[in-house]
Amino acid sequence: MIDFIKEARALFPYTQSMRRDFHIHPELGFHEVRTGGIVAKELEALGLEVTKGVGKTGVVGLLEGSKPGATILLRFDMDALPIIEETGAEYASQNQGVMHACGHDGHTAMGLTVARILQNHRDELNGTIKFCFQPSEEGFNGEEMGGNEMMIRDGVLDGPKVDQTLSMHLWNEQPVGWIGVGKGPVMAGAELFTIKIIGKGGHGAAPHLTIDPIIAAGQVVTALQTITSRNVAPLQSAVVSVTTVHSGTAFNVIPQDAELTGTIRTFDLDVRKKVLERFEQIIRGIGEAMGCQVEITVKRVTPAVINNDAVSERVQETAHQLLSDSTIDTAPYMTMGAEDMAFMQEKVPGCYFFIGSNNKERHLDYGHHHPKFDFDEEALVRGTALMAAAAMDVLKSK
Ligand code: NI
């Protein structure tokens, strides 16, 4: 068996310098021009067939093994977030207001390192590897869809047709040395919603002459919480979060309307249906009771990420063989976070796994999307090694 850990460790200086360079120069979704440019240049230098502009700023590199076989797609996301960095790290963002606060800088760097490693093992490779560097995982960023969907639209799963996918996330909720490879659902499906409540404005001192949308909005916020506590079965999971509330302009004016936005997260399709039904009933019911009109918009952001059993079992075996000093957690590991890799995994069997990356002693344990988020770079070695080994093993078993 190839010692992928040793190879990933030998290339660690490369991985680290790439990661830090991306961290210094973060770019928002669909603006990953510099990042994508570096990715394309690095892949071309390895002799891969590179296609740019797949899903706007996405980059695809093809590595053909010497032996015939299936095609596996490895996904790495490249985008940063609109956050003002507070890590104080020497490699902190120089792009004010934009920050790699989710670890996608590490993902991109690991992807390039995996390409280097597997290029060296072309002779032992059965089939083709499609390196997929995806833009805009964090949201639509003004486009009609996110990066994953847009790459699918631009044909990333065709020619050569993709048979399986692998993807991973550095995971600061777990320490370095923890690896999570579960079967079944791993990340929730997400919807975002906007609720507009329209009343009748007037003087703050004459409420009886108005229809107060703020009172109705308050009741909607509270009542929506009964969906998860009273409509979803206790052993199943869902989230309904109202995350913005906007209304009013002055202390003595009852406003005309109020607007609420938020998100719904579910794993199971029946639970999702139930939550959406109750969501609408509750809002319309309160609107009617309070004499307000309501307008509800619910937009599906991503389905749930569901891991394929066979592919995940193969990755679990690889992890056990390769990372004997790590904790390999194969219990269903679910998070309510959403991830647009769900779209590819809806079409092609795949496995999405987690690489523990926190280090409490070094205070590298802030959560994802926090202005002080940073991770232990040792995780990059394990993530790189596991991705390279798993890609090779999955192709071999096909
Ligand atoms: Ni992320």
Side-chain angles (χ1 to χ4, degrees), residues 22-33:
F22 295 138
H23 195 92
I24 291 170
H25 306 285
E27 294 170 302
L28 292 175
F30 294 124
H31 292 88
E32 306 90 337
V33 176

Side-chain angles (χ1 to χ4, degrees), residues 197 216 220 281-294:
I197 299 169
V220 166
Q281 282 167 357
I282 287 172
I283 297 163
R284 295 217 180 278
I286 291 175
E288 194 167 336
M290 299 284 118
C292 293
Q293 278 179 287
V294 293

